[in-house]
Amino acid sequence: MREVTLFAADEEAMYALGARLAAVSEGRGVIYLHGDLGAGKTTLSRGIIRGLGHAGAVKSPTFTLVEPYELGEKRIFHFDLYRLSDPEELEFLGIRDYFADDALCLVEWPQRGCGILPRADLDITISSQDGGRSLRLLSQGARGNAWCATLAGEV
């Protein structure tokens, strides 16, 4: 496992970091987003989705649980599991069908899907720090290790 900590001073910096994550992920993989309400999980997701080429609105899937985006060959699924009361509810969504090798899945509140969701390539924990946001990136395998190395400027 590899860990990297990054800082985003404001919303624009979060969008820029999201664009960097979009570039290193190339639109494939699984990213878990942790943090309190208002930490910036959806803002970072917007940056990633826009970084992959989406020009329209990116809304929070709080009530729909998932928002799909198809950008040419890229498929992105943005999940918000905050309102999920039982992980088994994900089975009714056909959750396993979303996590294909050719898709990028962004999952806010992944702890609510514990036991059902696949392992993430990257766990990101966002917290407030010095008026901005601290982002702790923890890789969960080879793909996440490569992303962290690139984001840390080691490649």
Side-chain angles (χ1 to χ4, degrees), residues 138-150:
L138 183 62
S139 72
Q140 299 296 327
R143 182 182 277 175
N145 284 339
W147 294 352
C148 284
T150 300

Side-chain angles (χ1 to χ4, degrees), residues 54-132:
H54 181 69
V58 176
K59 61 183 180 176
S60 174
T62 301
F63 294 101
T64 59
L65 294 181
V66 62
E67 285 292 330
Y69 299 88
E70 295 206 19
L71 308 170
E73 297 289 317
K74 294 181 177 85
R75 296 181 318 132
I76 302 126
F77 300 104
H78 180 198
F79 296 87
D80 184 334
L81 305 183
Y82 181 73
R83 299 199 181 280
L84 196 68
S85 58
D86 185 322
E88 291 294 324
E89 292 176 42
L90 294 172
E91 294 293 355
F92 297 115
L93 282 175
I95 193 75
R96 297 181 201 289
D97 295 336
Y98 291 100
F99 290 86
D101 286 338
D102 66 338
L104 176 64
C105 292
L106 308 171
V107 185
E108 298 183 30
W109 303 96
Q111 65 274 21
R112 297 190 185 247
C114 188
I116 302 293
L117 294 174
R119 190 171 115 198
D121 295 302
L122 190 65
D123 268 300
I124 300 175
T125 301
I126 305 170
S127 56
S128 295
Q129 179 187 337
D130 301 326

